[in-house]
Amino acid sequence: MSATKNINAAKIKNIVREKTFTLEAPTASDDITIFRTDVDITVQEAIVVQTGVTPSTTFVLKWASDRSAVGTNLMNSTTFTNTTTGATAPLNIVAIPADSWVRIETSAASGTDVYLTIDIRYTED
């Protein structure tokens, strides 16, 4: 019976979960919390897409156990302009420890009627 429980626990950990976040009218100085994780997670990918007229948003995804801390970059600051199928963000660090906050910090934004959507896919460790 315990072997079955172990197999089921492994299946649960390997399920890809996701958090989708949409930011209306991003600016050059947003610092917004996306979510908090209670368990260790591994980010598999972050897919970015925007709507609007010629959208361009430069941002970084970060995590930290203390929301007021500088944080650790999940990715380098990158500019996204995709408005069709989405663009995959290049990740640097994918492991995020339990009790951490995940956030977005923007540094440049342009376009009209822009909505920036980020889909973060992860597994629980």
Side-chain angles (χ1 to χ4, degrees):
M1 185 100 148
S2 67
T4 302
K5 286 182 181 178
N6 289 339
I7 291 170
N8 289 337
K11 285 182 183 178
I12 290 170
K13 285 187 175 185
N14 291 327
I15 294 173
V16 176
R17 294 161 167 41
E18 59 188 291
K19 302 277 187 188
T20 301
F21 170 82
T22 299
L23 176 58
E24 180 181 2
T27 70
S29 59
D30 292 318
D31 183 358
I32 300 172
T33 301
I34 299 174
F35 70 97
R36 181 181 182 275
T37 179
D38 293 329
V39 297
D40 294 345
I41 64 172
T42 299
V43 177
Q44 304 299 315
E45 64 184 345
I47 302 171
V48 180
V49 71
Q50 297 178 93
T51 60
V53 179
T54 50
S56 178
T57 309
T58 304
F59 68 88
V60 62
L61 295 175
K62 294 184 167 204
W63 67 266
S65 59
D66 179 340
R67 181 54 181 89
S68 65
V70 171
T72 300
N73 290 357
L74 282 172
M75 55 180 274
N76 291 330
S77 181
T78 304
T79 301
F80 292 90
T81 59
N82 191 293
T83 59
T84 56
T85 58
T88 303
L91 301 173
N92 291 336
I93 295 175
V94 295
I96 300 175
D99 303 321
S100 294
W101 295 96
V102 177
R103 70 180 190 258
I104 180 174
E105 291 181 359
T106 59
S107 58
S110 62
T112 306
D113 298 325
V114 175
Y115 285 80
L116 167 71
T117 299
I118 305 167
D119 183 53
I120 301 172
R121 298 177 182 183
Y122 64 94
T123 54
E124 294 181 356
D125 299 341

